[in-house]
Amino acid sequence: MKRKYTFQNAGALLLIMLIFSALIAGCNGDKVPNQQTALDKKVDSLVAQMNLAEKVGQMTQVTLAVVSKGPVYNPTMPQQIDTAKLKEAILKYHVGSILNVVNHAYTRDHWYQIMNEIKQVTGQSRLQIPILYGIDAIHGANYTQGATLFPQELGMAATWNPGLVEKAASITAYETRASAIPWVFSPVLGMGRQPAWPRIYETFGEAVYLTRSMGKAIIKGYEGNNIASKFKVASCMKHYMGYSFPLTGKDRTPALIPEEYLRQYFLPPFADAVKAGSPTLMINSSVINGIPVHANHHLLTDILRGELHFKGIAVSDWEDINKLYTVYHYAPSEKEAVKMAVMAGVDMSMVPNNFDFAKQLTELVKDGEVPMWRIDQAVKRILRVKFELGLFNHLFYPEKDYPEFGSKASQDFSRKTAEESITLLKNKDQVLPLPKKKVKVLVTGFGANSMEVLNGGWSYTWQGQETDKYTKDKNTILEAIQQKIGKSNVLYAEGTAYDKSVNERKALDLAQKADYIVLCLGEMAYTETPGNIDDLYLPDNQSEFALKLAKTGKPVILVLTEGRPRLISKFADKMKGILMAYLPGNEGGDALANILFGEVNPSGKLPITYPRYPNSLETYDYSYTEQSQHDYNPQFPFGYGLSYTNFKYSHLKLSSDTISGNQKLKIQVEVTNTGKREGKEVVQLYIGDLYASIIPPVKTLKGFQKIDLMAGETKTVLFTVDKQDLSFVNSQLKRVTEPGEFEVHIGQLKQKFHLQ
Ligand code: BGC
């Protein structure tokens, strides 16, 4: 008989687990169930004292620019708080939250100054409810000078090492609190399955299982067991949901995603993150199946609250309530847009440039258009998070409590994550690693001497284009190579800018004197709509430059620093070596040099398919029908990445060829390092369902383990799967496991088993 796993069942299970874990926690003297009630009481009693203006104020979030001295955009100096404006925001409009920064990364001192002023003005308010300050800490505390900047999420996923991701997030949490801020707008849990989308680098890639694993790890790192800790922050799951899959690849353009696919591919990372305790969630700015998500009651209330049992804050994305009217032409007026969004389930509006939301919502309540229960519900969710963060006691902690801010150890750790992310995609004739002695290396390409290209968007500023100003003490790829082999052994000419030639002749002349060419191509920094492209190929000048360099006969090693897999099929076969660096962050130059010269053995694996052609944008979990029409033939497949050693897979064994009921299947495989040096390998478990009532993918990632093997060493790797791991969402929108035949794939090995 088919056993069905429904979301309701999952919810019931969750409840039992919660009660159970609360009891265990109680025994440890940790969180006891009563505290939950105590918190509820505190929240209820505060709400009972609030008037309407104070309530809608809590639901209002404005940008720092609104309370800063002008001119706020394009400023040359970091913004100073304008006390009169701040008083208007807090004392007149009672705003509950402020966000971000404008065109600057501030010093810690400056952040403390801002937060102190906010605290003082809040202290003058009737109920003294603390402001919840939120910031885009996307790959480190990237709006604070001197903070540790890590690889962007896609690079983090390429490490296939959740332990690294958790620790990186805990450093980010520490450094964000060290900037007096308790709330980060991270992680992105959208699935990176549309390679042209300018934010794919903010995702953990295309595989649901990898995103779920990394999502849980990053939340644990941000939050630990207690977000009131002075070293932890509240995370914000983004962008719920389906935002990452625009049909055209352009940011904030519509997606068409049938609900079974939404539930199969896009919902699970959010469901896990809710279970992991993430207390806030940001809503998809865009449109799915014709309905803007900010107005979608089914997604925001039926599923998010009814099925996932999310208790926290659902915050809008930037200006998105108003855009229901101005951009989407969905609501016929601004006021109607506010009503639609609030009634769909948005608790807090990132307005963020004025107080119109508060004014309109007040009118709507007075006119009986929005009921008071809905306001109270939203306000309670917001206050609950403020209590959980401990903001009523400590809006922030003393600056001196964070001696490890931007420490050498944290920066070394960032380099280590970059080293584990960088993915060796080609190594013809073992051209890598390069010799360190008696060698002349030409370093060229527009990415060679820029910190901007290593960091991408969300670095010091929104678009990340000022990065070089803030990172004078960091090594570009060129500088790192110079340090590694001595300046006199390195030749340099830019050769090409992003989309036009520069100094090309000089670079080609220098190539004649070089033994090797390290060619750094890729993308400039961007995020969101400014990062939209019309052509996934790298610009022509970059590919032509690569071909000209290859013609010199010197071995060319291509280093890609890019936020998405820009196509390289016009010249990839002429390259001797290819390294994908993603956006490796501030220590990326050093990490690359360590890999190029063999001090570190690369172990990154692609978390996305690297396409070969613009009209062949498959993902690794393609269907049998795609396979029968043409082979999955990307430039490089998902999960791929070479090492300076070799690994052999053998002895794939299944504990049984049939499982039934609640039995678990044990899968084991032996992995041997057959090369001459130590290396790390990511052992990837894929399972294919041979026949299913929604056509099945040939294989789906179901597990992975990153292991370390000395030269000659063999390890046995064990995976366990059960029925739940073999489930999918059927056309009745139920999660089910259907009996039948399945096939395990690990490395080149395959074996079938039967589920009864
Ligand atoms: C982005 C979010 C971000 C927010 C605040 C929006 O435009 O989509 O990811 O957190 O701005 O800066």
Side-chain angles (χ1 to χ4, degrees):
M1 204 190 79
K2 281 186 193 172
R3 179 152 171 212
K4 297 182 180 180
Y5 289 81
T6 61
F7 276 93
Q8 278 83 1
N9 288 347
L13 192 69
L14 175 65
L15 191 69
I16 294 168
M17 281 163 56
L18 280 177
I19 293 171
F20 188 64
S21 52
L23 286 175
I24 294 180
C27 300
N28 295 340
D30 205 345
K31 259 192 184 169
V32 285
N34 280 348
Q35 266 179 336
Q36 189 74 356
T37 322
L39 177 56
D40 284 343
K41 277 192 193 146
K42 269 200 233 171
V43 169
D44 288 354
S45 99
L46 185 51
V47 172
Q49 298 169 55
M50 292 168 76
N51 59 38
L52 178 60
E54 286 161 340
K55 289 178 184 175
V56 298
Q58 281 304 307
M59 296 169 69
T60 305
Q61 184 187 53
V62 295
T63 176
L64 185 60
V66 168
V67 295
S68 297
K69 286 185 184 149
V72 285
Y73 290 98
N74 289 326
T76 49
M77 295 288 289
Q79 291 74 25
Q80 303 292 330
I81 289 281
D82 182 322
T83 312
K85 289 185 187 169
L86 185 64
K87 283 190 172 164
E88 184 189 26
I90 295 177
L91 304 179
K92 179 167 176 208
Y93 288 104
H94 314 281
V95 300
S97 178
I98 303 181
L99 86 150
N100 269 356
V101 58
V102 194
N103 275 338
H104 272 282
Y106 298 151
T107 59
R108 288 183 62 211
D109 282 350
H110 192 71
W111 274 122
Y112 269 85
Q113 209 181 312
I114 289 174
M115 295 304 283
N116 253 315
E117 293 189 54
I118 289 176
K119 190 176 171 186
Q120 268 172 25
V121 176
T122 312
Q124 297 164 29
S125 68
R126 190 173 78 91
L127 296 169
Q128 303 185 6
I129 301 173
I131 290 285
L132 175 56
Y133 206 102
I135 194 118
D136 285 302
I138 305 296
H139 63 128
N142 43 244
Y143 286 153
T144 305
Q145 290 179 29
T148 309
L149 263 52
F150 291 94
Q152 298 270 2
E153 254 189 52
L154 192 64
M156 286 299 206
T159 67
W160 293 65
N161 186 340
L164 289 183
V165 171
E166 182 184 331
K167 182 156 178 205
S170 76
I171 293 173
T172 301
Y174 180 102
E175 297 192 0
T176 304
R177 280 275 188 167
S179 314
I181 298 171
W183 184 26
V184 297
F185 301 134
S186 170
V188 168
L189 297 174
M191 297 306 309
R193 294 171 72 86
Q194 165 48 285
W197 186 50
R199 306 189 72 174
I200 194 170
Y201 72 82
E202 296 177 50
T203 75
F204 287 121
E206 75 189 35
V208 178
Y209 186 89
L210 186 57
T211 299
R212 291 176 62 185
S213 309
M214 294 304 188
K216 285 183 269 190
I218 198 169
I219 287 169
K220 194 156 171 226
Y222 284 142
E223 302 192 343
N225 298 323
N226 178 11
I227 55 172
S229 153
K230 65 177 165 188
F231 302 128
K232 294 293 168 193
V233 291
S235 65
C236 182
M237 308 169 260
K238 312 201 293 202
H239 307 79
Y240 178 82
M241 74 175 156
Y243 171 45
S244 56
F245 201 56
L247 206 57
T248 62
K250 302 267 191 341
D251 190 40
R252 290 179 162 88
T253 58
L256 292 176
I257 314 176
E259 190 165 331
E260 45 276 54
Y261 283 87
L262 260 183
R263 288 172 178 271
Q264 176 75 18
Y265 293 95
F266 296 89
L267 187 59
F270 289 97
D272 284 350
V274 170
K275 282 186 204 165
S278 181
T280 78
L281 166 142
M282 193 184 291
I283 297 160
N284 169 3
S285 253
S286 196
V287 177
I288 303 179
N289 306 334
I291 306 198
V293 179
H294 281 77
N296 192 325
H297 186 271
H298 182 53
L299 298 187
L300 295 183
T301 298
D302 301 344
I303 296 182
L304 182 64
R305 308 290 177 176
E307 297 183 24
L308 304 194
H309 305 295
F310 177 59
K311 301 267 183 290
I313 306 171
V315 59
S316 85
D317 201 344
W318 188 273
E319 247 184 317
D320 275 318
I321 295 184
N322 210 25
K323 283 183 186 161
L324 293 175
Y325 166 61
T326 56
V327 174
Y328 290 120
H329 292 238
Y330 186 75
S333 68
E334 284 189 12
K335 204 160 150 187
E336 198 61 23
V338 170
K339 179 178 162 187
M340 280 178 177
V342 170
M343 292 317 291
V346 182
D347 301 313
M348 181 185 280
S349 173
M350 188 185 287
V351 189
N353 290 310
N354 53 49
F355 307 105
D356 290 355
F357 169 83
K359 293 181 203 158
Q360 286 149 358
L361 187 54
T362 306
E363 285 174 24
L364 285 163
V365 176
K366 286 189 176 153
D367 294 349
E369 299 280 319
V370 170
M372 202 59 176
W373 67 260
R374 175 63 195 112
I375 301 294
D376 286 350
Q377 184 183 53
V379 174
K380 283 181 189 175
R381 290 170 181 162
I382 294 163
L383 294 177
R384 170 180 288 273
V385 174
K386 292 186 175 188
F387 278 114
E388 284 172 348
L389 274 166
L391 302 184
F392 285 87
N393 302 328
H394 300 275
L395 188 62
F396 49 84
Y397 291 85
E399 219 175 326
K400 65 168 177 35
D401 289 6
Y402 302 91
E404 291 300 312
F405 174 88
S407 68
K408 164 109 181 23
S410 300
Q411 292 172 28
D412 284 348
F413 185 75
S414 167
R415 195 199 62 248
K416 188 172 149 56
T417 57
E419 287 166 353
E420 279 208 29
S421 73
I422 292 167
T423 307
L424 178 61
L425 295 175
K426 183 171 179 186
N427 198 12
K428 194 154 181 233
D429 307 324
Q430 264 66 57
V431 65
L432 292 174
L434 301 178
K436 265 193 252 171
K437 298 231 156 68
K438 295 198 188 129
V439 72
K440 279 251 177 309
V441 177
L442 168 64
V443 183
T444 185
F446 91 98
N449 199 22
S450 149
M451 291 306 300
E452 173 187 330
V453 302
L454 294 176
N455 281 290
W458 305 110
S459 305
Y460 306 101
T461 60
W462 176 47
Q463 291 297 315
Q465 285 159 0
E466 308 281 316
T467 295
D468 287 84
K469 252 181 27 196
Y470 290 96
T471 49
K472 300 257 185 280
D473 57 333
K474 298 288 167 192
N475 285 332
T476 62
I477 301 172
L478 172 69
E479 290 160 346
I481 294 178
Q482 285 171 335
Q483 281 186 10
K484 190 69 68 191
I485 60 172
K487 236 179 173 165
S488 59
N489 297 317
V490 180
L491 309 165
Y492 170 68
E494 200 175 349
T496 178
Y498 173 69
D499 55 4
K500 62 175 194 295
S501 293
V502 180
N503 275 339
E504 190 181 278
R505 191 63 261 156
K506 185 175 169 201
L508 292 171
D509 288 346
L510 287 175
Q512 301 301 333
K513 301 188 191 133
D515 303 305
Y516 296 94
I517 299 169
V518 173
L519 170 62
C520 306
L521 301 182
E523 298 189 305
M524 325 264 289
Y526 58 80
T527 182
E528 302 189 47
T529 310
N532 283 344
I533 46 170
D534 293 321
D535 185 357
L536 197 54
Y537 277 106
L538 272 182
D540 285 347
N541 59 300
Q542 293 198 40
S543 3
E544 281 157 17
F545 183 50
L547 286 169
K548 286 179 195 163
L549 286 169
K551 255 200 171 146
T552 64
K554 301 294 169 80
V556 183
I557 291 100
L558 172 67
V559 172
L560 292 163
T561 49
E562 54 185 9
R564 65 198 137 196
R566 299 297 292 267
L567 305 188
I568 54 170
S569 49
K570 292 175 183 168
F571 64 95
D573 60 334
K574 304 286 189 304
M575 304 289 100
K576 277 272 190 184
I578 302 179
L579 281 165
M580 171 59 157
Y582 313 92
L583 297 170
N586 268 345
E587 316 304 320
D590 289 328
L592 271 161
N594 286 345
I595 286 179
L596 284 166
F597 293 93
E599 279 166 35
V600 168
N601 190 355
S603 63
K605 303 274 180 189
L606 286 176
I608 38 162
T609 300
Y610 204 117
R612 191 184 291 275
Y613 301 116
N615 296 331
S616 280
L617 302 179
E618 315 94 322
T619 46
Y620 83 98
D621 43 1
Y622 51 84
S623 59
Y624 283 94
T625 170
E626 284 167 279
Q627 192 183 39
S628 67
Q629 305 305 322
H630 78 112
D631 283 339
Y632 171 67
N633 179 32
Q635 193 78 49
F636 303 105
F638 171 84
Y640 183 73
L642 301 165
S643 161
Y644 294 154
T645 185
N646 294 306
F647 300 101
K648 190 172 143 246
Y649 287 74
S650 63
H651 300 96
L652 173 63
K653 267 197 226 138
L654 273 49
S655 57
S656 166
D657 57 7
T658 306
I659 57 165
S660 55
N662 290 328
Q663 274 181 334
K664 292 189 190 310
L665 179 72
K666 291 202 165 68
I667 301 166
Q668 74 174 53
V669 69
E670 286 181 12
V671 188
T672 306
N673 180 345
T674 56
K676 294 204 175 56
R677 64 179 289 179
E678 183 187 355
K680 293 187 191 348
E681 172 68 338
V682 179
V683 184
Q684 301 164 37
L685 167 71
Y686 296 90
I687 300 184
D689 189 348
L690 266 56
Y691 300 90
S693 64
I694 291 272
I695 61 160
V698 173
K699 56 179 196 174
T700 305
L701 184 74
K702 296 292 179 185
F704 63 87
Q705 286 178 40
K706 192 164 194 176
I707 55 169
D708 243 304
L709 287 173
M710 304 303 288
E713 194 185 2
T714 298
K715 274 187 182 159
T716 302
V717 177
L718 190 71
F719 296 99
T720 307
V721 295
D722 60 19
K723 260 184 146 173
Q724 179 67 16
D725 299 315
L726 305 174
S727 66
F728 67 95
V729 178
N730 72 7
S731 57
Q732 279 81 52
L733 308 181
K734 299 279 184 254
R735 185 160 278 279
V736 296
T737 309
E738 292 177 347
E741 254 196 311
F742 291 82
E743 190 166 39
V744 170
H745 308 234
I746 302 184
Q748 295 311 311
L749 307 171
K750 287 183 194 176
Q751 204 165 315
K752 290 190 178 143
F753 70 94
H754 200 83
L755 176 78
Q756 275 180 342

